[in-house]
Amino acid sequence: MLNENPRDGVDYILGGAVASRASDVHIDQVNDGLHIRFRVDGLLYPISNFMNNVFFLNDSQTIIQRIKILAGADISEHRLPQDGDFEYTSENRSYNIRVSIVPASHGEAIVLRILNRDDTMFDLGDLGLEQEQLSILKRLIATPHGLLLITGPTGSGKTTLFYSILNALNKPIRNIISIEDPIELRMNGIRQLQIRENIGLTFAKFLRSVVRQDPDVIMLGEIRDRETAEMAVQIASIGIMLVSTFHTFDIPSLIVRLSEMEIPSSIMAQSISGVISTRLVRKICPDCKADYQLSDYEKKFLGDNIMGLAGVSFKKGKGCAKCNQTGYSHRTGINEIVAFDESLRAAIISKASSMTLNQLIKELSGKSIRDSAISKIVQGITTVEEVIRVVGVV
Ligand SMILES: [Zn+2]
């Protein structure tokens, strides 16, 4: 049984988090102890949804102190934000736990991010790409040069796509260098570099050095600033393949953002080989999936698409013990992918209107994120309600 040992307490919380497939653990101090939540499939739930024996967690100070010690943080500091990390091993699998501690009105708020989780998808076939999208992606990663960008908001599956592409490219014939922040998953055969902003080791600085490391492929965790963007397009235009993520909602806004970073449109057009825009939706729990009648609101969301959907039996999870009564289990991607062609390049160079760009991208991609979502609704993989939650009503 559990005892008062705080080491056991932290182990117990993390053990439960890993078993529940949580990506993060949120810990807040409340009057009568700790309020702990797990983020599972993108949403937060109280720890009591997953674990029964949480009574001992009332000893909040010892648990918080233990986390601080493990993370290498200062246990006597309560007023300033602190970061750290530690290794956690469970059933022969080791996880890197990134710790963020921030003082809040009620005491310290702690978030533990669990990296190297075993539900991470590596296979390009597991990303939820439609068949034609998968062929476009395979063609893009077979191109030995150019910049391949992954876009989407926070928590949209950019990292999963990044690692799946990295995994697909990972062959001994290629020298792959990956610059990351943080390294979420260690991969054999790849030179993975961790940026350290505090000593000036930024994405841009690493990028400058690694071009002299005879790379075939450079994986760049994220393009955040103009300097990195400038170097990335330059490198991509000299015959090296570069894959990176870019925090933006869709492909037209990516082009706008790069222009704002003063990347000349001709260089942008010539160096980008393709762009994937991605979101994650929760999948209906297979154990409680049942037929479901759409509400008027959901029908309205489908709009004109509803005409082609006569006879489709829509599905939804009723909620069961396996899915913690949520009706959902695991997630899949809904994506849009565009391989740049001469018509799109010419439109970017001539600074075509965003309407023209949108139209061209629509024609080239064949399937928008919305189309991809509707296809998953029709196949009974996800629900209208979930798609509205993720992409909004438009
Ligand atoms: Zn269920």
Side-chain angles (χ1 to χ4, degrees):
M1 271 316 282
L2 296 158
N3 59 33
E4 303 278 306
N5 185 336
R7 164 89 214 179
D8 289 354
V10 177
D11 270 7
Y12 185 69
I13 296 167
L14 285 172
V18 165
S20 314
R21 300 187 297 102
S23 57
D24 304 81
V25 178
H26 287 240
I27 303 173
D28 291 276
Q29 284 174 270
V30 288
N31 289 340
D32 52 351
L34 292 175
H35 176 47
I36 302 180
R37 289 171 296 170
F38 289 172
R39 187 179 292 281
V40 177
D41 292 338
L43 296 177
L44 284 169
Y45 303 96
I47 187 172
S48 53
N49 284 21
F50 309 93
M51 305 173 79
N52 296 322
N53 299 319
V54 288
F55 58 88
F56 73 97
L57 299 176
N58 290 338
D59 190 6
S60 57
Q61 281 315 317
T62 40
I63 287 178
I64 287 174
Q65 271 195 11
R66 180 69 199 161
I67 291 171
K68 283 184 165 177
I69 291 166
L70 286 167
D74 179 353
I75 55 163
S76 62
E77 178 59 69
H78 301 283
R79 298 159 306 164
L80 295 172
Q82 297 195 77
D83 293 323
D85 70 308
F86 63 90
E87 292 294 313
Y88 166 72
T89 305
S90 168
E91 294 178 4
N92 294 325
R93 197 184 167 92
S94 146
Y95 303 85
N96 183 241
I97 312 294
R98 299 253 299 188
V99 184
S100 161
I101 307 164
V102 170
S105 57
H106 52 262
E108 283 160 301
I110 298 181
V111 177
L112 308 175
R113 165 147 292 189
I114 303 166
L115 304 178
N116 195 15
R117 287 168 298 129
D118 59 4
D119 67 336
T120 313
M121 298 172 279
F122 303 122
D123 196 282
L124 293 181
D126 293 338
L127 295 167
L129 291 161
E130 308 285 321
Q131 211 50 49
E132 71 243 50
Q133 293 179 323
L134 185 59
S135 336
I136 297 175
L137 179 58
K138 284 187 173 163
R139 214 173 65 229
L140 281 170
I141 64 173
T143 312
H145 51 81
L147 177 59
L148 174 59
L149 288 169
I150 305 164
T151 74
T154 303
S156 62
K158 295 193 294 292
T159 306
T160 303
L161 252 167
F162 182 88
Y163 280 113
S164 302
I165 292 172
L166 191 55
N167 193 41
L169 287 166
N170 189 7
K171 303 269 160 32
I173 53 160
R174 293 192 184 97
N175 175 19
I176 305 176
I177 301 175
S178 182
I179 309 168
E180 304 175 43
D181 182 33
I183 297 173
E184 295 210 16
L185 202 83
R186 286 181 206 286
M187 286 189 151
N188 289 330
I190 289 167
R191 293 179 187 160
Q192 288 177 286
L193 317 174
Q194 166 73 55
I195 75 156
R196 295 191 201 286
E197 302 242 348
N198 55 343
I199 56 163
L201 207 45
T202 60
F203 279 117
K205 178 133 187 160
F206 256 140
L207 206 45
R208 200 170 289 125
S209 306
V210 300
V211 284
R212 291 191 290 270
Q213 286 255 313
D214 186 29
D216 296 292
V217 179
I218 297 175
M219 303 288 295
L220 187 62
E222 192 183 357
I223 295 177
R224 291 178 188 158
D225 52 59
R226 182 182 157 197
E227 192 188 5
T228 315
E230 251 172 6
M231 291 179 66
V233 291
Q234 273 167 20
I235 291 168
S237 57
I238 58 164
I240 294 172
M241 180 182 184
L242 208 137
V243 183
S244 188
T245 73
F246 199 102
H247 184 106
T248 178
F249 279 86
D250 53 22
I251 302 168
S253 54
L254 166 80
I255 295 168
V256 171
R257 285 279 291 117
L258 285 171
S259 305
E260 284 168 359
M261 286 177 166
E262 294 172 42
I263 304 299
S265 48
S266 56
I267 296 174
M268 195 197 308
Q270 295 307 331
S271 60
I272 299 177
S273 58
V275 183
I276 315 165
S277 183
T278 188
R279 302 289 187 279
L280 288 172
V281 289
R282 290 178 298 164
K283 295 200 281 188
I284 300 171
C285 168
D287 292 294
C288 59
K289 191 186 277 196
D291 283 343
Y292 168 75
Q293 296 295 323
L294 293 184
S295 69
D296 288 343
Y297 181 66
E298 290 167 329
K299 281 183 189 157
K300 207 171 146 205
F301 169 80
L302 291 173
D304 292 345
N305 294 103
I306 199 93
M307 318 255 242
L309 303 180
V312 171
S313 64
F314 294 95
K315 307 284 183 198
K316 193 172 176 174
K318 288 193 284 194
C320 68
K322 287 242 173 86
C323 59
N324 285 303
Q325 308 304 329
T326 60
Y328 295 97
S329 176
H330 295 81
R331 289 187 289 178
T332 188
I334 47 173
N335 310 281
E336 176 170 28
I337 178 162
V338 174
F340 275 36
D341 76 343
E342 287 318 309
S343 65
L344 184 55
R345 294 200 163 101
I348 293 171
I349 292 169
S350 66
K351 299 195 165 45
S353 70
S354 54
M355 215 168 83
T356 310
L357 285 179
N358 275 328
Q359 190 55 37
L360 266 174
I361 288 165
K362 207 169 163 188
E363 284 164 20
L364 275 176
S365 71
K367 265 202 161 78
S368 65
I369 288 209
R370 188 189 155 89
D371 298 332
S372 171
I374 288 172
S375 153
K376 297 234 163 14
I377 292 167
V378 171
Q379 292 172 63
I381 295 170
T382 192
T383 64
V384 179
E385 163 193 71
E386 174 66 359
V387 170
I388 293 174
R389 183 185 74 79
V390 171
V391 303
V393 286
V394 282

mmCIF file of all heavy atoms in Angstrom, residues 285 287-288 319-320 323 327, ligand 1:
data_model
loop_
_atom_site.group_PDB
_atom_site.id
_atom_site.type_symbol
_atom_site.label_atom_id
_atom_site.label_comp_id
_atom_site.label_asym_id
_atom_site.label_seq_id
_atom_site.Cartn_x
_atom_site.Cartn_y
_atom_site.Cartn_z
ATOM 1 N N CYS A 285 -14.566 6.231 -29.167
ATOM 2 C CA CYS A 285 -14.160 5.026 -28.437
ATOM 3 C C CYS A 285 -14.787 3.799 -29.104
ATOM 4 O O CYS A 285 -16.005 3.750 -29.282
ATOM 5 C CB CYS A 285 -14.618 5.141 -26.987
ATOM 6 S SG CYS A 285 -14.493 3.599 -26.069
ATOM 7 N N ASP A 287 -15.292 0.952 -27.957
ATOM 8 C CA ASP A 287 -16.055 0.100 -27.046
ATOM 9 C C ASP A 287 -17.465 0.601 -26.759
ATOM 10 O O ASP A 287 -18.275 -0.131 -26.200
ATOM 11 C CB ASP A 287 -15.283 -0.074 -25.723
ATOM 12 C CG ASP A 287 -14.036 -0.893 -25.944
ATOM 13 O OD1 ASP A 287 -14.172 -2.082 -26.276
ATOM 14 O OD2 ASP A 287 -12.918 -0.333 -25.848
ATOM 15 N N CYS A 288 -17.736 1.864 -27.084
ATOM 16 C CA CYS A 288 -19.100 2.351 -26.810
ATOM 17 C C CYS A 288 -19.659 3.129 -28.000
ATOM 18 O O CYS A 288 -20.556 3.947 -27.861
ATOM 19 C CB CYS A 288 -19.128 3.198 -25.531
ATOM 20 S SG CYS A 288 -18.061 4.640 -25.567
ATOM 21 N N GLY A 319 -19.969 6.608 -24.001
ATOM 22 C CA GLY A 319 -19.228 6.728 -22.738
ATOM 23 C C GLY A 319 -19.223 5.387 -22.029
ATOM 24 O O GLY A 319 -20.273 4.786 -21.842
ATOM 25 N N CYS A 320 -18.021 4.914 -21.691
ATOM 26 C CA CYS A 320 -17.920 3.640 -20.973
ATOM 27 C C CYS A 320 -16.688 3.691 -20.060
ATOM 28 O O CYS A 320 -15.961 4.686 -20.047
ATOM 29 C CB CYS A 320 -17.806 2.483 -21.972
ATOM 30 S SG CYS A 320 -16.267 2.447 -22.919
ATOM 31 N N CYS A 323 -13.206 4.416 -21.735
ATOM 32 C CA CYS A 323 -12.854 5.774 -22.199
ATOM 33 C C CYS A 323 -13.130 6.807 -21.117
ATOM 34 O O CYS A 323 -13.267 7.998 -21.424
ATOM 35 C CB CYS A 323 -13.582 6.108 -23.492
ATOM 36 S SG CYS A 323 -15.372 6.052 -23.364
ATOM 37 N N GLY A 327 -16.410 8.945 -24.241
ATOM 38 C CA GLY A 327 -16.874 8.580 -25.581
ATOM 39 C C GLY A 327 -15.774 8.640 -26.624
ATOM 40 O O GLY A 327 -16.013 8.380 -27.802
HETATM 41 ZN ZN ZN B 1 -16.058 4.150 -24.427
#
